[in-house]
Amino acid sequence: MDRFLALRIFNAVVEEESLIGASRKLALSPSAVSKNLAALEEELGARLLNRTTRRISLTEAGEAYFERTARLLADLDEADGMVSRMEGAPRGLLRVSAPISFGQRHLAPALPDFRAQHPEVVVQMMLEDRVVDLVGERFDLGIRIANLRDSSLVARKLASNHRKIYAAPSYIARRGLPVTPSDIEQHALVTMPPGSPLLDLTLTRGEEVRALHLLGDIQLNSVEGVLAACLAGGGLAVLPSYMVCDHLLAGRLVPVLPDYTVPDTVIQAVFPSSRHLSIKVRAFIDFMVARFSPMPPWECVDRAPATAPKAELVTVD
């Protein structure tokens, strides 16, 4: 019996809660998984797992054994990773989770350059607007646009996410330009649906602080949809800077209440704190940090500023 293989099989069965799940995770046949487990229990002289047709659970001895062997295997993986970081080049499959809009606009176009630097890494990036379980869904890392609240994750900042209120010139010509935060209540809004944390907005100018809850007349569950409806004149929208620069320069969007600031969120790479930072993950994060620093390419700073059209006085019913 290969003792380390048997330990990895035992730990995989516990983590996956099934023999089939462990066989898939380790790319072994179910019979090989069963054979190694039986051999391990026979050598130890103790039953580690209770097996039924519906589930697998740990015995008292199994719980104690799993606690110690999980640490042992984690230390072994860390030692292997340390050697790889010192001696090896990034290689293998890198699974990344990222939000759709930011992924399409700024991550996907960067992947050819990353692969040119690290040709032995195969990048599998899944774009979806939900918070994925990085461990359960076997991602190496995720890109998230939010302040980190999950203490089980480690984060590295890639860039700040600036947000402001914008509108299309066609909407401003029709409804007028808001000049105070109170004016916003009289305007059509394009927002995310109820339940989104993006509906609560704090506007600050000097000592003035205004808290607003924005729920739109048009509600879409993607930021790309919010942008499209805003561009079509659907109303005011809060949009991130990584989406709007080209539209501002082309005059398709104008800023609303530009003297007010909105608190930034953070664009960051996150990965489970329980995992060592593999060389391929470190290489990807370092590449993205360098690409987006010191000034992200999507910012309009030092470019010709967009100017709002002269607002006409419009009576709002």
Side-chain angles (χ1 to χ4, degrees):
M1 177 185 67
D2 182 332
R3 187 60 171 268
F4 277 110
L5 176 60
L7 292 181
R8 288 198 181 278
I9 288 173
F10 168 66
N11 277 258
V13 170
V14 175
E15 291 168 356
E16 298 296 321
E17 298 182 346
S18 76
L19 299 181
I20 297 297
S23 68
R24 290 172 180 167
K25 180 176 183 178
L26 300 176
L28 295 171
S29 67
S31 62
V33 170
S34 297
K35 181 179 178 181
N36 276 273
L37 278 178
L40 179 61
E41 289 178 326
E42 182 177 353
E43 182 167 322
L44 293 173
R47 179 175 291 277
L48 301 175
L49 298 167
N50 293 315
R51 304 170 179 82
T52 68
T53 56
R54 292 189 175 183
R55 65 188 297 261
I56 288 178
S57 62
L58 287 165
T59 64
E60 183 178 356
E63 288 181 2
Y65 195 64
F66 175 72
E67 180 180 349
R68 298 295 295 272
T69 57
R71 291 202 301 267
L72 175 65
L73 292 174
D75 288 343
L76 179 61
D77 288 340
E78 176 63 29
D80 290 346
M82 178 187 67
V83 173
S84 295
R85 290 192 294 272
M86 294 174 60
E87 302 294 339
R91 61 172 55 86
L93 177 65
L94 177 69
R95 299 194 72 233
V96 183
S97 168
I100 295 173
S101 180
F102 186 74
Q104 289 177 338
R105 290 170 179 267
H106 301 291
L107 296 177
L111 296 182
D113 289 342
F114 174 76
R115 285 268 300 123
Q117 294 183 22
H118 306 290
E120 295 185 61
V121 178
V122 175
V123 182
Q124 185 181 92
M125 183 173 289
M126 308 301 289
L127 303 180
E128 46 192 331
D129 290 331
R130 67 181 179 90
V131 179
V132 305
D133 178 355
L134 297 180
V135 175
E137 299 180 48
R138 301 174 188 173
F139 284 100
D140 294 293
L141 76 155
I143 305 299
R144 294 188 178 169
I145 305 177
N147 297 317
L148 184 64
R149 296 180 181 179
D150 189 342
S151 61
S152 68
L153 299 175
V154 177
R156 184 172 176 189
K157 180 179 176 180
L158 302 181
S160 293
N161 179 40
H162 306 300
R163 297 181 299 150
K164 282 188 176 296
I165 304 173
Y166 298 97
S170 61
Y171 176 83
I172 298 300
R174 188 172 73 252
R175 296 290 301 273
L177 187 68
V179 294
T180 71
S182 298
D183 294 340
I184 292 177
E185 298 175 358
Q186 305 302 318
H187 281 263
L189 302 174
V190 183
T191 69
M192 305 291 279
S196 169
L198 300 179
L199 299 180
D200 294 311
L201 189 70
T202 301
L203 295 175
T204 303
R205 184 179 66 176
E207 298 298 319
E208 180 185 0
V209 179
R210 293 294 303 272
L212 303 173
H213 182 74
L214 307 180
L215 187 58
D217 311 277
I218 299 174
Q219 302 169 13
L220 300 109
N221 69 342
S222 81
V223 68
E224 288 288 350
V226 171
L227 172 62
C230 181
L231 287 169
L236 312 181
V238 180
L239 295 166
S241 57
Y242 69 80
M243 298 182 70
V244 301
C245 185
D246 290 344
H247 297 297
L248 286 171
L249 296 177
R252 293 186 292 268
L253 286 177
V254 295
V256 174
L257 302 179
D259 293 337
Y260 288 81
T261 61
V262 177
D264 293 343
T265 52
V266 181
I267 302 171
Q268 54 194 345
V270 300
F271 57 93
S273 59
S274 59
R275 295 181 183 172
H276 68 273
L277 190 58
S278 69
I279 188 171
K280 62 185 179 183
V281 173
R282 184 183 298 276
F284 184 84
I285 294 175
D286 288 346
F287 173 86
M288 290 301 173
V289 168
R291 190 176 183 92
F292 299 149
S293 298
M295 178 66 69
W298 56 80
E299 296 292 352
C300 284
V301 177
D302 296 330
R303 294 193 243 176
T307 56
K310 185 176 180 180
E312 299 178 2
L313 292 178
V314 176
T315 300
V316 179
D317 295 331

